Amino acid sequence: MIFSTIPLFGLAPLFGTDGVSNFASAFLVAAPFLYVAFLWGSRRLVGDIFQNDSPAQSPKRLVPWSVGAAFCVFVCGAILFPLLAVNAVSFLPKSWFPDFASVQTVAPPAESAPEDGAPADGAPSTVQTDAERNLATQHPLARLLIRSRSTPWAFETLLLCFFVAVIAAPFAEEFLFRVLLQGTLENYALQAVLPPPGTSRRPFADATTTAEPKNADDAETDDATTTAEPENADDATTTAEPENADDAETDDATQVAVPNVPDVPSATEFRWLDPTTPMERRAFYLRSAFAILVPAFVFGLIHAGAPETPEEARDPETLNRLFRTMLAAGIANVAALIFGLLVLRRSSGATTGDVGFGPEFTYKAGRFFASLRRFALDFYRGVAVFAFIAPVVFGANAGLRALFPNAIVDPFPIFLFALVEGVVYWRVRRYASVVGMHVALNATSFALLCASL
């Protein structure tokens, strides 16, 4: 199992009623109202994602890297780097890591506890067995964090789990699955509405029925005379309507004379308002659905696995292995992100717009802070989107856990979450937005998990 591509998801139970302080009780009472207020305040920001003329929309463009380069980066980031990181960590001295085996961290098995003739199906034994079974189906990171809370290295383990789950995994996984994999598949969808490279795109065939001609000679019709537009340049001072087409591009008065003339679409970019034929649109949407479904399916499939066995749960060395695996996962995530960006930049000349930062993102001193503000806005938009879909995702996870208590059910709710991420990235092409969704999911799960300890 590749821990570097497994996000923390659906791990923590809801807050219990035992041992809850007054502050926590007040927060639990106010939490639903704060949640509703956040949804109400963010409704327009989220709604902009699904409006074609919204400022949140970015022109869709062909990514410059090839399928071979994308495959190489994806395999290295998802498979090769995690394996190398695990092997590299295993060669490090054991004295550098906590020795969980030296302390009693695992309780004795429930079936061996009653020795005085108590019935095997008694209440204490059943509760312990159910708790062990529930923990065995959790993510390895949750098992590590829960079982290490009574050890001297609880704080170090908490910091490591937070870094891997909330920081490293979202940034690396969204780069691999959305920017790289989905961006490569979207090239196939854009081929339905964009011309071959090096050729100009034709105007929309039906635009002539609703738009005025651009030729000045053909524009002298009866409808044009009703607008009192003079042909002579000397008379143009009364209406400020230039006859030259070059001057008309910078004058707002041309919107009166030629109201419905569509802009000539770019040969390499597709804007949501660009006119296309219905057949091209249909092919574009079908191919885009394929580009969204494939990464979401792979993203959910990698979370399938077998629950922890009782022998592994009772082995103190299991925590040592989990700790080293989490450390290797963090290293592999950072390496995958840096390696992927360098390869795409060096091999194909990818720009910040190609990798989802936006064409306006720059490192120049005069505009760097403006770029960071836009990145923060896109990140916040992703957090807001997660707030809208969180009840569905967590509800599906809780329902499946109730139906299948002995199985790992994470792949299906994660697949639903990845589908929404794919749609958001398809609409806005913003890396910060999908990272914000992923960070919000993992941070919420991590907070619930810590509150249940």
Side-chain angles (χ1 to χ4, degrees), residues 303-330:
H303 295 82
E308 184 183 52
T309 63
E311 291 75 14
E312 292 175 340
R314 290 190 292 265
D315 185 7
E317 286 293 336
T318 301
L319 289 184
N320 292 336
R321 290 192 293 268
L322 288 178
F323 186 90
R324 294 165 187 168
T325 302
M326 289 302 112
L327 179 61

Side-chain angles (χ1 to χ4, degrees), residues 66-78:
S66 62
V67 177
F71 178 79
C72 176
V73 174
F74 186 84
V75 170
C76 290

Side-chain angles (χ1 to χ4, degrees), residues 59-75 173-188 190-191 197 268 291 295 337 339-358 425 429-431:
K60 299 184 68 63
R61 54 192 299 174
L62 294 171
V63 295
W65 55 80
S66 62
V67 177
F71 178 79
C72 176
V73 174
F74 186 84
V75 170
E173 291 169 2
E174 295 311 317
F175 170 77
L176 290 176
F177 285 92
R178 242 58 61 185
V179 175
L180 186 66
L181 184 56
Q182 181 174 328
T184 304
L185 295 176
E186 282 186 10
N187 273 12
Y188 175 69
L190 290 173
Q191 291 174 359
T268 58
L337 180 60
F339 173 79
L341 291 175
L342 290 178
V343 169
L344 297 184
R345 175 63 178 173
R346 297 294 183 181
S347 65
S348 56
T351 62
T352 56
D354 296 324
V355 296
F357 284 90
Y425 188 77
R429 188 65 77 87
R430 293 286 175 166
Y431 171 68

Side-chain angles (χ1 to χ4, degrees), residues 10-261:
L11 301 177
L14 297 177
F15 290 97
T17 57
D18 298 334
V20 179
S21 63
N22 294 331
F23 175 79
S25 301
F27 176 78
L28 291 177
V29 173
F33 299 97
L34 296 176
Y35 175 72
V36 173
F38 181 79
L39 294 182
W40 179 260
S42 305
R43 68 189 188 281
R44 293 185 178 179
L45 191 66
V46 176
D48 286 345
I49 297 177
F50 304 98
Q51 297 178 4
N52 292 337
D53 56 348
S54 169
Q57 293 293 323
S58 298
K60 299 184 68 63
R61 54 192 299 174
L62 294 171
V63 295
W65 55 80
S66 62
V67 177
F71 178 79
C72 176
V73 174
F74 186 84
V75 170
C76 290
I79 300 177
L80 183 60
F81 285 170
L83 294 177
L84 292 177
V86 170
N87 293 329
V89 170
S90 64
F91 284 106
L92 296 178
K94 293 184 179 181
S95 59
W96 293 7
F97 305 99
D99 187 10
F100 295 98
S102 62
V103 295
Q104 185 66 25
T105 59
V106 181
E111 58 270 17
S112 62
E115 296 289 348
D116 54 353
D121 55 349
S125 177
T126 303
V127 172
Q128 181 69 17
T129 303
D130 292 342
E132 288 183 352
R133 182 185 301 111
N134 180 61
L135 184 59
T137 59
Q138 299 292 346
H139 186 275
L141 189 147
R143 299 200 297 266
L144 171 63
L145 192 60
I146 292 173
R147 288 175 176 155
S148 64
R149 68 183 184 274
S150 59
T151 67
W153 306 281
F155 183 71
E156 292 82 352
T157 304
L158 178 67
L159 292 180
L160 174 63
C161 293
F162 178 84
F163 171 76
V164 174
V166 183
I167 301 178
F171 279 85
E173 291 169 2
E174 295 311 317
F175 170 77
L176 290 176
F177 285 92
R178 242 58 61 185
V179 175
L180 186 66
L181 184 56
Q182 181 174 328
T184 304
L185 295 176
E186 282 186 10
N187 273 12
Y188 175 69
L190 290 173
Q191 291 174 359
V193 291
L194 292 179
T199 60
S200 60
R201 187 174 174 182
R202 68 183 187 281
F204 187 39
D206 297 340
T208 56
T209 60
T210 58
E212 295 289 340
K214 290 185 178 181
N215 192 350
D217 297 336
D218 297 337
E220 298 175 357
T221 59
D222 295 337
D223 295 338
T225 57
T226 59
T227 61
E229 178 181 341
E231 293 184 12
N232 193 351
D234 297 333
D235 298 335
T237 57
T238 59
T239 59
E241 180 69 18
E243 187 178 0
N244 191 353
D246 297 334
D247 298 336
E249 293 179 357
T250 59
D251 202 318
D252 295 337
T254 55
Q255 297 180 359
V256 179
V258 188
N260 296 321
V261 175

